[in-house]
Amino acid sequence: MDLPWAEPYKIKMTEEIRISSREERERWIEEAGFNLFNLESDKVFIDLLTDSGTGAMSDKQWSEMMIGDESYAGSRSYTKLKNAVNEILGFPYVLPTHQGRAAENVLFSVIVKAGDVVPGNSHFDTTKGHIEFRKASAIDCTIDEAFIIDHIHPFKGNIDLEKLEQVYKTHPKEKIPLCLITVTCNSSGGQPVSMANIKAVKSLSDQYGVPVFFDAARFAENAYFIKEREEGYKDKSVKEIVKEMFSYGEGFTMSAKKNGLVNIGGLLAFRNEELYRNCGNMGIIYEGYLTYGGLAGRDLGALAEGLNESTEYNFQKARIGQVEYLGNKLIEYGIPVQRPIGGHAVFVDALSFLPHIPQSEYPAQLIGVELYKEGGVRGVEIGTLLADRDPVTREERFPKMELLRLAIPQRTYTFRHMDYIAAALKNVFDRRDEIKSGLEIVWQAEILRHFTVKLRKKTH
Ligand SMILES: *Cc1c(COP(=O)(O)O)cnc(C)c1O
C-alpha cells in the first residue's frame, strides 16, 4: 500500500480554543449585527477569516526570535534575511517593510504616477487601493475561465496575453510603469499562474519595454502547483521552481504574513540598484531605516527561516493537501465550491447554495452567519457586502461571484478540525430550504463597509 503523506512536523505547544454553545453563538452574532468581523476571537471556535499572519511558527523560527539582533543599522538578522532572499528568490537588493501593503506603498510611491495603468491578473484589494489612490488604474487581464466557478483549469490565475497586449498597444510605454503578476492569484481564489504564462508575460512585456514585478504573497504555493500540474516540472524541487519563477521579474512586493510564515512583515526586492536606492528613500520615510523597515530584528530572522521552510516540498504538500482535503469533503457532501480548490482557501458558491435568496439579501454573508451559529466557524464574505456601492452612483454593485471564503491558517488546525468544519457546513446545507430570507443593512460606513456593517434578519 502506498503511504499517505503526513505533516512534516509535530506539535510542541498548544493554544486552547473555547467551545461555545449554539444558544451563546446565536446571541453573540445578533449582538455583533450579523457581522463576523465584530466577533471577539474568544467567541470563535475555528477561525477561517484569513490565513494572513495567523499561522504557527516553527521551533527554528522561535529560536530566531531569541537571537534577533536589534541594532538600528546593519543588524545580523537583516543580513540573514537578505541572504535568504538572495538564495531562495534570487534578488540582490532587499528592503523589509511592516506588511505587504507597505511594500506596495513604497514601490508605487516611486514608480506609479497619476494617469498610469498597471495591468496584471486580478489585483489584490490593497494593491488596487494603492494604485487608485495615486489616480492610476489597475487593469485586470486574468483569463475569462477564472470567473466560471466550477470550470476546471489548472492555472486559473493566468494572464490573458491578448488582453495584456491590448493594454500595451493602447497606452504609451511611459504610462505603464509595471505589469504585476500575483502568485497565487488571491482575488481569483488562490489560483496559480503557470511558468509558461509567466514566461510569456515576460517576453511580451520585454517587447513593449514594460518591467514585470510579482506580488509574491503566496509564491511557494504557486511553485508547488507548478510542480504538481505543469509539464516538465515534476522532477524539479519547489526551490528550483521558485528561482525560475522570479528569474522573469525585476522585483517583487510581498506580504510575509502568508508564505513568509510570520505573524507580521513584508518585503520588497529588486534587481536594479538605482530602483532599490530610490525605494530605500521612501522606505526610510514610511517604514524605517533600510535594514529593518518597520520590523524588529527578531522578525527579520523569523522571516528568513520562514522563507526557507515554506519552500520545502513536504511543507506545501501538507499545506495544500489540507485545504484540498476540506474542499473535497465539501464536494463529497454536494456543497457547491469553486474548482479546482485554491491553495489557501475553499470558496463556497452562495448563489448555488441558496438560489432562492437574492443577491440583494447577501446570501454569502447569510451562509457565514449560519455556519457560525452551527459550529462557531468563522469564514468571510467575498460578495456583495465587500463589493460595496458604486462610488459615483451609490447603487449596490452585484459581483459575478458571491462567495464565502474559508481560509486555512498554516500549520494551525488539524484534520479533525477540517472534518468538523465540513460537518457544520453540511448541516447548514441540508437545511438550506428552511432558510427563507436573507439579511438587510441597518447601518453602513461610507467606504469599506464590510468591516463595520450592521445587519439584521430581513422579514418579508
Ligand atoms: C495579503 C496580501 C497583500 C497585502 O499584504 P498585507 O501584509 O496584508 O498588507 C497583498 N497582496 C496579496 C496577494 C495578498 O494576499
Side-chain angles (χ1 to χ4, degrees):
M1 167 180 196
D2 286 341
L3 290 177
W5 57 269
E7 290 81 355
Y9 50 84
K10 56 185 177 177
I11 296 165
K12 212 171 204 158
M13 188 192 280
T14 61
E15 175 182 348
E16 189 184 356
I17 45 178
R18 185 172 178 279
I19 302 181
S20 50
S21 69
R22 195 186 166 96
E23 291 65 41
E24 285 177 316
R25 294 193 294 269
E26 280 179 356
R27 182 159 47 81
W28 292 336
I29 192 67
E30 190 153 357
E31 287 166 3
F34 298 98
N35 181 347
L36 296 150
F37 283 101
N38 286 339
L39 289 170
E40 287 146 4
S41 64
D42 288 352
K43 297 182 168 126
V44 176
F45 181 52
I46 300 178
D47 203 348
L48 308 183
L49 192 67
T50 179
D51 63 331
S52 179
T54 53
M57 291 206 295
S58 69
D59 52 354
K60 288 190 187 139
Q61 287 183 289
W62 278 106
S63 71
E64 289 296 337
M65 299 300 271
M66 300 308 293
I67 59 176
D69 175 1
E70 305 304 336
S71 303
Y72 192 97
S75 121
R76 277 191 308 279
S77 304
Y78 171 77
T79 305
K80 209 174 256 179
L81 176 62
K82 182 169 173 278
N83 291 343
V85 174
N86 295 166
E87 273 164 40
I88 299 166
L89 301 138
F91 292 95
Y93 301 107
V94 184
L95 282 176
T97 59
H98 80 277
Q99 279 193 228
R101 67 198 68 186
E104 291 162 359
N105 186 35
V106 169
L107 177 65
F108 297 168
S109 291
V110 175
I111 65 173
V112 177
K113 307 268 175 319
D116 285 354
V117 296
V118 180
N121 48 353
S122 307
H123 305 64
F124 185 67
D125 46 18
T126 61
T127 318
K128 202 169 169 185
H130 273 296
I131 292 168
E132 291 176 351
F133 179 71
R134 292 176 171 79
K135 305 211 175 339
S137 18
I139 304 182
D140 187 355
C141 299
T142 311
I143 55 169
D144 292 333
E145 290 93 323
F147 304 103
I148 309 168
I149 192 148
D150 51 1
H151 177 85
I152 306 283
H153 184 296
F155 293 103
K156 271 180 154 176
N158 278 0
I159 288 180
D160 184 322
L161 297 168
E162 277 175 28
K163 289 185 194 171
L164 184 62
E165 186 153 26
Q166 198 53 36
V167 175
Y168 289 167
K169 279 185 172 154
T170 50
H171 296 83
K173 168 178 143 182
E174 302 72 45
K175 293 276 173 210
I176 320 175
L178 74 160
C179 170
L180 190 66
I181 312 179
T182 303
V183 288
T184 57
C185 191
N186 189 348
S187 304
S188 74
Q191 299 288 333
V193 181
S194 71
M195 192 74 86
N197 191 249
I198 294 172
K199 260 196 233 181
V201 167
K202 163 75 176 157
S203 109
L204 185 67
S205 302
D206 277 352
Q207 269 177 44
Y208 288 87
V210 177
V212 172
F213 282 77
F214 288 95
D215 177 342
R218 296 187 180 79
F219 73 100
E221 291 169 23
N222 200 90
Y224 174 84
F225 279 123
I226 288 175
K227 181 173 168 74
E228 292 296 292
R229 296 181 183 172
E230 191 162 349
E231 222 186 294
Y233 289 93
K234 188 162 58 63
D235 298 323
K236 294 230 155 79
S237 70
V238 172
K239 283 192 166 66
E240 284 170 326
I241 295 171
V242 164
K243 261 279 179 55
E244 184 183 339
M245 274 166 55
F246 284 107
S247 72
Y248 303 115
E250 277 305 307
F252 68 77
T253 61
M254 183 193 290
S255 167
K257 303 170 73 174
K258 285 56 172 259
N259 288 176
L261 293 175
V262 288
N263 302 117
I264 197 77
L267 268 182
L268 261 174
F270 314 90
R271 235 175 261 303
N272 177 291
E273 185 176 354
E274 192 188 332
L275 184 57
Y276 161 70
R277 296 269 162 234
N278 293 336
C279 287
N281 290 337
M282 283 297 158
I284 290 173
I285 291 175
Y286 289 124
E287 297 294 300
Y289 183 64
L290 303 171
T291 59
Y292 73 87
L295 297 172
R298 51 183 173 266
D299 295 332
L300 305 174
L303 172 54
E305 175 57 24
L307 293 172
N308 186 37
E309 291 174 14
S310 77
T311 46
E312 283 297 314
Y313 175 72
N314 286 328
F315 177 96
Q316 286 305 335
K317 196 169 165 123
R319 160 33 165 197
I320 290 174
Q322 189 181 43
V323 178
E324 211 167 41
Y325 174 86
L326 174 63
N328 286 338
K329 200 112 211 175
L330 298 180
I331 291 169
E332 196 184 296
Y333 293 156
I335 297 168
V337 296
Q338 186 196 36
R339 298 173 75 179
I341 306 297
H344 67 286
V346 179
F347 292 76
V348 179
D349 174 10
L351 297 178
S352 317
F353 193 115
L354 292 176
H356 54 288
I357 304 286
Q359 246 179 316
S360 58
E361 295 180 18
Y362 314 112
Q365 180 71 10
L366 186 61
I367 299 167
V369 166
E370 289 301 319
L371 178 61
Y372 172 71
K373 287 199 283 191
E374 183 68 31
V377 178
R378 168 158 75 172
V380 69
E381 190 242 31
I382 310 275
T384 305
L385 281 177
L386 180 70
D388 217 324
R389 293 138 297 169
D390 184 282
V392 180
T393 67
R394 306 309 283 159
E395 297 280 320
E396 288 266 303
R397 285 190 289 207
F398 297 108
K400 273 185 261 179
M401 299 200 279
E402 183 83 21
L403 306 168
L404 175 70
R405 184 182 83 173
L406 306 174
I408 314 296
Q410 298 168 97
R411 292 195 288 217
T412 303
Y413 294 111
T414 66
F415 274 73
R416 208 59 188 158
H417 288 119
M418 300 301 119
D419 288 342
Y420 177 100
I421 298 159
L425 194 57
K426 178 179 190 298
N427 288 347
V428 176
F429 188 62
D430 287 349
R431 59 177 167 77
R432 62 193 182 280
D433 293 338
E434 294 160 30
I435 302 171
K436 297 275 190 249
S437 60
L439 299 163
E440 61 185 1
I441 290 177
V442 181
W443 179 86
Q444 57 187 324
E446 281 304 302
I447 52 162
L448 297 174
R449 65 176 179 186
H450 58 290
F451 288 119
T452 51
V453 68
K454 296 239 182 236
L455 299 147
R456 68 174 164 230
K457 280 267 162 69
K458 183 152 181 147
T459 45
H460 283 287

